[in-house]
């Protein structure tokens, strides 16, 4: 064996930095799980950014169909926005309740969050159905394709979030505030808040800026 | 237009007997042989009673080492499939001068599309992800990855994608659009069949798997290092793993979004990339390459890491310029997101845009060059052992320099206007992908095989495999450079230019030599398994390694390490060996503790089962089955979430028994080394 | 190694987790976040619909407001701060944002140039018919 060939490296750390900050070892599970989910959220945001980019590119390609300013209803969007903002708040309350293991406030917070999410979805669904019935469905023009996919993709995320929310309530009901349930609750809260951030982009870029095109 | 749907159409969607290509013997026979092979293996497994073993030890395993091995197995099998495609194409181009050859155009087009898709997504990706899975937790000194069950889900979803692509051989057809399915050709009006749908859904499903793997490995490297494993003490392979998986996490969503847009166009009549209603085909090129260029670095960065490990081990020296290497890796990670336009210089973005992306493409060659110099300086003055992994590493350095240089050449816009989509381009990317990624995968395979299985691979066959593959590669691809400069474009089913012919014949001969290389590789495996007792590695450290994976036995116990190693510097294991030698090993027994490990779970397999159903149903428009499949997948996750015990305990006594053997062997090793 | 001082650090906290706070403080955090978010949203909607400001500045203002609101959400709802125990979370965020910026910015830039140099198909057809 040639092991003795380079014993000369007496220093374990050849780069003298003076102070070596020792890594403390594997992180606790809660940090690991939430971090992984955080990374997932970032990737999800990158996915959304593609739809935003597509919208920006196609926004003026109306193919003689309606323009944004002709179909967007600012009032609806404002209500949707308020719903989501409030739901982010109630979701935050539910997380605090989960952390202090208070079932009542947890269920209450989650239920309100769920209802607000459903109101949001109902308004969005009505908007889509209305557009389609007027002949302004996604296959009318590239602009409408981009509009429906971007807004619809956010809507699908909210729907998935509602499904997840109900599963979370069921888990707390059946299993209590177990460590793994709390970890999932934390990921859920991150998810819900992140959808809000994306919605800020949606209402600013699609509805407000898009009306100006 | 559409008549009221019949019962059959509702039950089976677009599927009927015409989907089976009875009139095309080649895919039918090929598919039949594969099917028979799979059946034979299945029957053998069941009859021999191996099924329970397979189920408990492999299929439901959440052990990162097992999952890594399964990834590599999948990649190897797909390499044979993609390789067969390559052989068929080389033969076609060798004979199709002023004739139709033996492959009709629609079939030839499916073959080159399947070849590219399979080689990138189901060979290169699973191979490198498999190696990262297998080795990174060991190098970091930890017991598992961050999300073991998700890891299994990721693998099985990748397998689903591979399965669907191969299913297209016998049921329906594959895309005829090339491996990136450019619209408008891939839109419904020009590709009405199911080929593009097979392509897109396979990639969507396996893409989820890849994303999961990426998240898992990023989190593992950033959050699960052993005590003292500071960032700047991590082995190079961990750094490149981090960079590569950051790229996965950031780039694969772009692929998902782009394919989703294409699918919306095809399924629901959207107008993202159509010629009508304001759609814009160029946006597809733009988006897909915003994923595509980072993708090539996703593949090659782990290979760079493998070569770093191999070169330093077999030169008996610490890696030269470790910090510059880290910096170069992270620089590539960022810059690779700034060059994607070089894939469509000719699309008309104008001189200013082209110039900027051209310059960025040249800049990215700089950190790559830094790496090459670092490897050379690591070798300089070292005591080099030319074992098989080292041969692949040296072969890589030569080959990759050529590939990188031709890359910089096509990154010059005026030159690219001549060479774009010519055989020169084909030669360039095979030069970097085979010479970089595949050589890297083989080096890693040879290097870490003893760690995974406890015995070494036969060196004689390994070296033969290297020399045949290496020379076969040059005989195949140098002619393609020439043909490209003679004006030959890529993807030609036949041609009438006499000057190209000789080069195509030489390339076909090269392919034969390459194939001998592959056969040698298989022989190496067979011979080594047969001689495994003689090749047994009892020390856990067959190559005199430097990083922590060599500090545990081969194969490692499920828990990898009885204790989380305490790391004090770079080349952690090397330092331990030195320390052990200088102080002569203390013989007192450490105090062992119970170890908790994640329990096996069928979640991944079941989930992939439903994903397969869902994918198949989506491809064939069988809507009720789509709903059933998605419900199944959701139910799987809920059931998984409902589990009460996700861990089991290995008692301290058992840990002690396993570890004592390991320590004993290691003491012998060290005292032997000391004696020399 | 004697010339080196060894020092142990604590782990980063999880994204979404706050540093130790009482329940009351946490609730106040959410209330403040909600208030700021509503305020910014209202401003956005107001600016988009008004004639009171110089029109060309509206798009810029909307984008600035949106970014500000995203920041508010990140700080008050997702608890991403600049504290030392948040380094990894912030670095991941920065990388994600860089990619978003490159993809969106790059796409818009590239595609607008392509459009300048080559009219889209329907205009092209109209030009020739
Ligand atoms: C040294 C840095 C590199 C540069 C400057 C470079 C440059 C280029 C350019 C300009 C093209 C487009 C040429 C054309 O379409 O006309 C290209 C194509 C390609 N490169 Fe590279 N490249 C480099 C490294 C790599 C690496 C490391 C890989 C893979 C591991 C790779 C894989 C590919 C592939 C797959 C294609 C063609 C894909 C297709 O059109 O189907 N390149 N490269
Ligand atoms: Cu590229």
């Amino acid at each position: 064996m040639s092991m003795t060939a380079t014993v000369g490296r007496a220093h374990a750390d050849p780069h003298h930095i003076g102070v070596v900050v020792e890594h403390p070892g594997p992180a606790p599970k809660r940090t690991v799980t939430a971090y992984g989910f955080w990374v997932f959220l970032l990737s999800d945001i990158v996915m959304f950014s593609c739809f935003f980019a597509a919208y920006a590119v196609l926004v003026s390609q109306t193919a003689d169909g309606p323009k944004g300013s002709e179909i967007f209803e600012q009032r609806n969007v404002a209500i949707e926005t308020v719903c989501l903002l409030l739901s982010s708040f109630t979701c935050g309350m539910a997380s605090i309740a989960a952390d202090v293991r208070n079932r009542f406030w947890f269920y209450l917070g989650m239920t309100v969050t769920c209802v607000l999410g459903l109101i949001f979805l109902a308004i969005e669904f009505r908007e889509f159905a209305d557009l389609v019935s007027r002949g302004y469905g996604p296959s009318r023009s590239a602009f409408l394709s981009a509009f429906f996919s971007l807004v619809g993709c956010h809507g699908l995320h909210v729907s998935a979030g509602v499904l997840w929310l109900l599963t979370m309530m069921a888990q707390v009901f059946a299993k209590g505030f177990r460590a793994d349930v709390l970890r999932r609750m934390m990921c859920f809260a991150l998810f819900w808040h992140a959808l809000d951030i994306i919605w800020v982009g949606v209402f600013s870029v699609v509805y407000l800026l898009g009306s100006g095109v | 237009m559409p008549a009221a749907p019949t019962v059959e159409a509702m039950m089976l969607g677009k599927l009927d007997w015409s989907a089976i290509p009875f009139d095309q013997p080649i895919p039918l026979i090929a598919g039949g042989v594969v099917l028979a092979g799979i059946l034979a293996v299945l029957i053998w497994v069941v009859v021999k009673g191996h099924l329970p073993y397979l189920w408990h030890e492999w299929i439901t395993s959440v052990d990162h080492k097992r999952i890594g091995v399964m990834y590599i197995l999948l990649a190897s099998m797909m390499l044979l499939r993609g390789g067969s495609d390559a052989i068929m194409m080389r033969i076609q181009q060798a004979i199709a001068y002023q004739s139709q050859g033996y492959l009709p155009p629609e079939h030839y087009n499916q073959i080159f599309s399947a070849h590219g898709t399979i080689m990138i997504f189901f060979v290169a990706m699973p191979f490198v992800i498999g190696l990262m899975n297998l080795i990174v937790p060991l190098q970091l000194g930890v017991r598992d990855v961050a999300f073991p069950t998700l890891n299994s889900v990721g693998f099985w979803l990748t397998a689903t994608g591979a399965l669907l692509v191969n299913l297209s051989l016998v049921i329906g057809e594959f895309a005829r659009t090339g491996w990136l399915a450019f619209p408008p050709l891939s839109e419904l009006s020009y590709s009405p069949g199911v080929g593009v749908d097979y392509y897109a859904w396979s990639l969507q499903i396996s893409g989820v798997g890849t994303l999961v793997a990426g998240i898992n490995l990023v989190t593992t490297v950033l959050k699960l290092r052993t005590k003292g494993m500071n960032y700047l003490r991590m082995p190079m392979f961990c750094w490149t793993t981090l960079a590569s998986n950051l790229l996965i996490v950031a780039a694969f969503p772009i692929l998902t979004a782009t394919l989703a847009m294409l699918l919306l166009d095809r399924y629901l009549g959207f107008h993202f990339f159509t010629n009508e209603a304001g759609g814009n085909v160029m946006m597809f090129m733009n988006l897909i390459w915003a994923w595509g260029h980072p993708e090539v670095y996703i593949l090659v960065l782990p290979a760079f890491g493998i070569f770093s490990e191999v070169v330093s081990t077999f030169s008996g020296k610490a890696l030269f310029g470790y910090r510059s290497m880290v910096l170069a890796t992270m620089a590539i990670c960022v810059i690779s997101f700034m060059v994607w336009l070089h894939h469509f210089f000719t699309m008309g973005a104008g001189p200013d845009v082209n110039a900027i992306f051209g310059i960025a493409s040249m800049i990215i060659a700089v950190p790559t060059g830094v790496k090459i110099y670092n490897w050379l300086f690591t070798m300089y003055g070292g005591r080099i052992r030319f074992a098989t992994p080292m041969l692949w590493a040296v072969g890589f350095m030569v080959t990759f320099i050529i590939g990188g240089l031709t890359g910089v050449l096509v990154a010059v816009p005026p030159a690219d206007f001549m060479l774009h989509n010519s055989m020169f381009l084909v030669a360039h990317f095979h030069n970097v992908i085979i010479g970089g990624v595949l050589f890297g995968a083989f080096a890693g395979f040879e290097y870490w095989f003893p760690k995974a299985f406890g015995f070494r691979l036969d060196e004689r066959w390994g070296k033969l495999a290297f020399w045949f593959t290496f020379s076969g590669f040059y005989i195949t691809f140098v002619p393609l450079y020439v043909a490209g400069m003679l004006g030959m474009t890529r993807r030609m089913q036949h041609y009438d230019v006499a000057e190209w012919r000789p080069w195509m014949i030489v390339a076909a001969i090269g392919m034969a030599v390459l194939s001998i290389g592959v056969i040698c590789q298989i022989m190496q495996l067979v011979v080594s398994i047969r001689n495994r007792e003689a090749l047994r590695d009892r020390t856990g450290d067959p190559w005199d390694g430097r990083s922590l994976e060599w500090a545990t036995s081969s194969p490692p116990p499920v828990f990898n390490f009885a204790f989380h190693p305490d790391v004090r510097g770079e080349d952690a294991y090397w330092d331990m060996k030195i320390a052990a030698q200088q102080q002569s090993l203390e013989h007192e027994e450490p105090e062992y503790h119970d170890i908790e490990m994640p329990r096996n779970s069928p979640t991944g397999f079941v989930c992939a089962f439903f994903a397969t159903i869902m994918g198949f149903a989506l491809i064939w428009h069988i809507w009720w089955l789509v709903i059933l499949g998605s419900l199944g997948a959701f139910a799987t996750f809920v059931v998984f979430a409902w589990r009460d015990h996700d861990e089991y305990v290995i008692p301290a006594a058992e840990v002690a028994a396993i570890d004592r053997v390991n320590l004993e062997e290691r003491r012998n090793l060290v005292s032997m080394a000391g004696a020399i | 190694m004697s010339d080196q001082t060894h020092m142990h650090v604590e782990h980063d906290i999880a994204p979404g987790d706050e540093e130790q706070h009482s329940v009351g403080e946490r609730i106040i955090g959410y209330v403040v976040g909600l208030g700021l978010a509503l305020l910014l949203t209202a401003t956005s909607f107001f600016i988009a619909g008004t004639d009171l400001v110089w029109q060309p500045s509206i798009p810029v203002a909307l984008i600035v407001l949106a970014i500000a609101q995203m920041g508010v959400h990140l700080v008050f709802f997702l608890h991403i701060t600049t504290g030392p125990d948040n380094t990894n979370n912030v670095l991941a965020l920065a990388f994600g944002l860089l990619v978003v910026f490159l993809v969106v910015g790059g796409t818009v830039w590239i595609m607008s140039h392509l459009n300048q140099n080559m009219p889209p198909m329907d205009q092209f057809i109209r030009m020739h018919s």
Side-chain angles (χ1 to χ4, degrees):
Chain A
M1 294 268 164
S2 58
M3 215 180 272
T4 43
T6 44
V7 188
R9 277 183 80 233
H11 268 294
D13 198 333
H15 312 283
H16 306 277
I17 328 166
V19 180
V20 178
V21 179
E22 292 285 332
H23 179 67
K29 223 166 177 173
R30 186 173 167 88
T31 313
V32 173
T33 308
Y35 190 78
F37 196 75
W38 180 233
V39 174
F40 162 75
L41 282 179
L42 293 170
S43 83
D44 212 32
I45 289 175
V46 172
M47 196 216 39
F48 268 106
S49 77
C50 296
F51 284 100
F52 275 107
Y55 181 82
V57 169
L58 297 176
V59 68
S60 54
Q61 301 299 320
T62 51
D64 299 327
K67 290 192 296 203
S69 53
E70 295 161 32
I71 53 171
F72 296 153
E73 287 193 34
Q74 237 64 297
R75 207 177 55 92
N76 275 351
V77 183
I79 300 175
E80 285 179 307
T81 309
V82 171
C83 281
L84 279 193
L85 288 180
L86 288 178
S87 79
S88 239
F89 177 77
T90 53
C91 174
M93 294 305 106
S95 324
I96 298 177
D99 287 344
V100 297
R101 292 173 168 64
N102 183 320
R103 280 192 188 237
F104 173 75
W105 284 102
F106 172 79
Y107 287 134
L108 186 68
M110 289 297 255
T111 312
V112 177
T113 309
C114 179
V115 169
L116 287 168
L118 288 175
I119 296 177
F120 170 87
L121 285 173
I123 299 177
E124 184 160 283
F125 183 78
R126 231 190 32 196
E127 180 192 12
F128 280 14
D130 178 53
L131 285 176
V132 171
S133 70
R134 284 155 65 192
Y136 302 153
S139 38
R140 177 62 190 83
S141 69
F143 156 64
L144 282 166
S145 298
F147 163 76
F148 271 92
S149 347
L150 173 52
V151 179
C153 188
H154 177 267
L156 277 180
H157 275 75
V158 176
S159 316
V162 169
L163 209 61
W164 186 0
L165 183 155
L166 295 174
T167 330
M168 274 332 299
M169 287 173 77
Q171 284 182 52
V172 171
F173 180 77
K175 309 276 169 190
F177 294 111
R178 226 163 54 176
D180 57 345
V181 175
L182 283 178
R183 283 200 299 273
R184 286 179 201 139
M185 179 58 206
M186 175 163 193
C187 294
F188 167 75
L190 281 173
F191 183 69
W192 197 260
H193 294 314
L195 289 187
D196 241 20
I197 295 190
I198 289 167
W199 181 254
V200 172
V202 172
F203 82 70
S204 302
V205 172
V206 176
Y207 289 104
L208 299 185
L209 279 174
S211 301
V213 178
Chain B
M1 279 213 320
T6 61
V7 177
E8 249 159 64
M10 272 169 69
M11 290 305 294
L12 293 177
K14 292 161 75 174
L15 189 61
D16 60 31
W17 283 112
S18 69
I20 317 283
F22 291 113
D23 53 336
Q24 294 169 30
I26 296 175
L28 201 64
I29 293 172
V33 170
V34 172
L35 222 65
I38 293 176
L39 269 181
V41 173
L42 269 184
I43 291 173
W44 179 79
V45 164
V46 174
V47 169
K48 285 277 191 168
H50 290 320
L51 200 56
Y53 167 75
L54 214 59
W55 178 260
H56 292 296
E57 296 293 322
W58 292 90
I59 294 174
T60 62
S61 175
V62 297
D63 180 343
H64 70 94
K65 304 178 283 300
R66 294 276 161 91
I67 292 174
V69 168
M70 289 194 289
Y71 264 119
I72 294 169
L73 190 68
L74 174 74
S76 314
M77 274 160 35
M78 287 299 109
L79 181 63
L80 297 181
R81 157 81 213 264
S84 327
D85 291 339
I87 295 173
M88 289 167 76
M89 287 188 289
R90 280 286 130 255
I91 294 176
Q92 169 75 8
Q93 287 198 325
I95 59 182
Y97 166 62
Q98 288 189 337
S99 80
Q100 283 294 315
Y102 72 110
L103 291 172
E106 71 278 4
H107 192 184
Y108 184 76
N109 294 357
Q110 288 185 44
I111 293 182
F112 69 62
S113 307
H115 169 76
T117 311
I118 288 177
M119 285 305 200
I120 297 284
F121 293 97
F122 302 114
V123 177
M125 286 300 281
F127 216 129
V128 294
I129 293 182
L131 286 171
M132 293 190 282
N133 242 307
L134 177 64
I135 294 305
V136 163
L138 291 169
Q139 285 195 336
L140 294 175
V142 293
R143 301 215 162 104
D144 212 325
V145 288
F147 307 108
T149 312
L150 220 55
N151 200 14
S152 154
V153 174
F155 166 72
W156 285 108
L157 288 181
T158 308
T160 294
L163 180 66
L164 284 176
V165 168
N166 285 284
L167 208 59
S168 74
L169 210 54
V170 274
I171 310 180
E173 53 164 7
F174 196 67
R176 303 170 192 186
T177 52
W179 73 285
L180 284 180
F182 289 156
L185 179 58
S186 56
E187 290 285 356
L188 203 57
S189 31
Y190 302 99
S191 298
V194 290
V196 176
D197 303 327
Y198 263 115
Y199 165 85
W201 288 115
S202 323
L203 296 197
Q204 290 295 53
I205 292 172
S206 68
V208 175
T210 307
L211 181 66
V212 164
I215 292 172
N216 195 0
L217 285 163
V218 167
T219 315
T220 305
V221 174
L222 289 181
K223 294 290 172 188
L224 284 192
R225 284 159 288 129
T226 188
K227 207 157 140 320
M229 182 63 88
N230 297 0
Y231 286 122
L232 284 176
R233 289 172 180 172
M234 293 198 301
M236 215 37 231
F237 185 56
C238 295
W239 270 107
T240 58
T241 296
L242 175 63
S244 167
N245 286 286
L246 278 174
L247 285 177
I248 287 183
V249 169
F252 264 76
I254 307 179
L255 178 70
T256 306
T258 313
L259 290 178
M261 292 178 202
L262 181 63
L263 285 167
L264 285 170
D265 277 6
R266 288 180 61 86
Y267 278 70
L268 298 173
F270 283 39
H271 289 290
F272 280 107
F273 313 124
T274 58
N275 287 336
E276 308 87 34
N280 194 333
V281 290
M282 271 101 94
M283 198 172 62
F284 183 91
M285 319 291 155
N286 169 68
L287 285 177
I288 201 100
W289 284 115
W291 158 81
H293 190 84
E295 164 69 6
V296 305
Y297 279 96
I298 290 171
L299 293 176
V300 86
L301 281 175
F304 287 172
I306 295 169
F307 293 126
S308 302
E309 305 291 308
V310 167
V311 167
S312 121
T313 301
F314 291 96
S315 304
K317 283 171 67 186
L319 191 63
F320 181 91
Y322 172 79
R323 295 200 166 203
S324 64
M325 209 70 144
V326 170
L327 210 66
T329 305
M330 294 327 272
I332 291 177
C333 180
V334 172
I335 304 176
S336 66
F337 265 106
M338 304 182 188
V339 301
W340 77 87
L341 182 123
H342 67 212
H343 292 270
F344 48 98
F345 279 141
T346 54
M347 219 165 71
D352 38 1
V353 180
N354 277 0
I356 287 189
F357 278 94
I359 292 166
S361 308
M362 291 168 207
I363 290 176
I364 204 171
V366 173
T368 317
V370 168
K371 287 180 170 249
I372 300 267
Y373 281 111
N374 280 341
W375 292 317
L376 289 176
F377 281 122
T378 308
M379 287 168 66
Y380 180 77
R383 284 184 25 188
I384 302 177
R385 292 169 286 157
F386 282 102
T388 318
M390 190 60 177
L391 281 186
W392 287 111
V394 174
F396 148 81
M397 282 193 244
V398 178
T399 313
F400 197 82
I401 290 175
I402 300 172
L405 284 177
T406 59
V408 175
L409 224 144
V410 282
V412 182
D416 190 56
F417 272 67
M418 295 290 114
L419 296 169
H420 180 54
N421 273 355
S422 72
M423 286 307 248
F424 189 92
L425 166 77
V426 174
H428 154 66
F429 68 73
H430 283 86
N431 208 155
V432 278
I433 290 185
I434 297 182
V437 183
L438 206 66
F439 282 17
F442 286 159
F445 177 78
E446 303 280 328
Y447 182 54
W448 283 311
F449 186 92
K451 181 45 62 186
F453 292 102
F455 59 96
R456 268 170 301 156
L457 286 167
D458 185 273
E459 280 283 303
R460 219 169 58 88
W461 281 106
K463 288 188 171 149
L464 273 180
F466 168 76
W467 285 112
F468 275 112
T469 311
F470 184 72
S471 49
F473 166 78
Y474 280 96
I475 306 173
T476 311
F477 288 96
V478 171
L480 300 196
Y481 278 123
V482 182
M485 289 199 273
L486 291 174
M488 183 170 182
T489 53
R490 70 196 291 193
R491 297 173 176 164
M492 289 224 257
Q493 184 256 350
H494 71 279
Y495 53 92
D496 300 325
V497 180
E499 292 91 64
W500 300 343
R501 182 93 203 268
W503 301 109
M504 291 303 107
I505 293 175
V506 178
I509 296 170
M511 191 68 221
V513 180
L514 256 177
S515 310
I516 298 176
V518 173
I519 292 172
C520 289
Q521 206 107 57
I522 296 173
M523 280 308 293
Q524 182 198 33
L525 205 57
V526 174
V527 169
S528 312
I529 293 177
R530 207 181 295 140
N531 296 344
R532 61 187 174 280
E533 283 318 318
L535 292 167
R536 181 81 53 204
D537 160 39
R538 290 182 201 295
T539 61
D541 182 20
W543 305 116
D544 194 11
R546 316 178 69 83
S547 41
L548 283 181
E549 76 268 34
W550 307 111
T552 182
S553 57
S554 304
V558 253
F559 48 82
N560 291 352
F561 301 95
F563 302 94
H564 281 301
D566 191 358
V567 174
R568 292 299 167 81
E570 288 165 32
D571 286 349
Y573 178 52
W574 186 263
D575 295 333
M576 285 181 196
K577 282 195 275 196
I578 305 293
Q581 238 167 293
Q582 283 167 347
Q583 302 153 13
S584 78
L585 273 184
E586 82 270 36
H587 280 260
E588 59 199 82
E589 170 106 330
E591 194 186 325
Y592 290 98
H593 302 285
D594 293 355
I595 293 180
E596 278 188 354
M597 292 302 291
R599 257 178 51 197
N600 282 359
S601 160
T603 309
F605 187 76
V606 177
C607 191
F609 172 78
F610 285 117
T612 310
I613 290 186
M614 217 157 73
F616 186 79
L618 279 163
I619 290 163
W620 290 100
H621 296 215
I622 311 173
W623 306 122
W624 61 269
L625 200 56
V626 176
I627 297 171
L628 218 66
S630 34
L631 284 181
F634 176 65
T636 314
F637 274 107
V638 173
V639 170
F640 173 69
W642 240 250
R643 278 199 324 184
D644 283 324
H645 306 287
D646 46 10
E647 291 190 328
Y648 70 102
V649 174
I650 304 173
E654 202 180 321
V655 176
I658 294 172
D659 201 48
R660 263 178 220 131
V661 180
N662 177 26
L663 281 185
E664 190 53 39
E665 293 290 353
R666 216 150 282 268
R667 271 189 209 108
N668 293 341
L669 173 74
V670 171
S671 56
M672 238 166 63
I676 291 171
Chain C
M1 259 189 292
S2 51
D3 54 337
Q4 293 171 335
T5 339
H6 287 261
M7 182 174 100
H8 279 279
V9 281
E10 285 310 301
H11 281 290
D12 281 4
I13 60 172
D17 261 349
E18 301 170 85
E19 285 118 70
Q20 291 307 310
H21 283 306
S22 71
V23 172
E25 282 170 331
R26 291 182 65 184
I27 294 178
I28 289 176
Y30 280 98
V31 172
V32 172
L34 181 67
L36 283 175
L38 283 172
L39 193 72
L40 288 164
T41 303
T43 318
S44 285
F45 275 85
F46 170 74
I47 285 193
T50 179
D51 312 326
L52 293 178
V53 293
W54 185 50
Q55 295 297 309
S57 71
I58 288 180
V60 183
L62 285 177
I63 288 174
V64 171
L65 284 166
I67 292 173
Q69 187 167 351
M70 290 176 183
V72 166
H73 283 242
L74 278 175
V75 172
F76 290 97
F77 295 159
L78 288 112
H79 314 297
I80 301 297
T81 65
T82 51
D85 49 1
N86 241 311
T87 323
N88 256 329
N89 307 340
V90 174
L91 275 179
L93 178 68
F95 182 66
L97 288 184
L98 175 71
V99 172
V100 167
F101 171 76
L102 288 172
V103 170
V104 176
T107 299
V108 170
W109 186 47
I110 292 168
M111 295 306 296
S112 70
H113 268 252
L114 288 172
N115 282 346
Q116 274 168 28
N117 293 336
M118 196 177 336
M121 258 326 177
D122 54 343
Q123 286 174 34
F124 192 72
I125 293 163
R126 237 180 292 150
M127 255 157 41
H128 288 262
S129 58

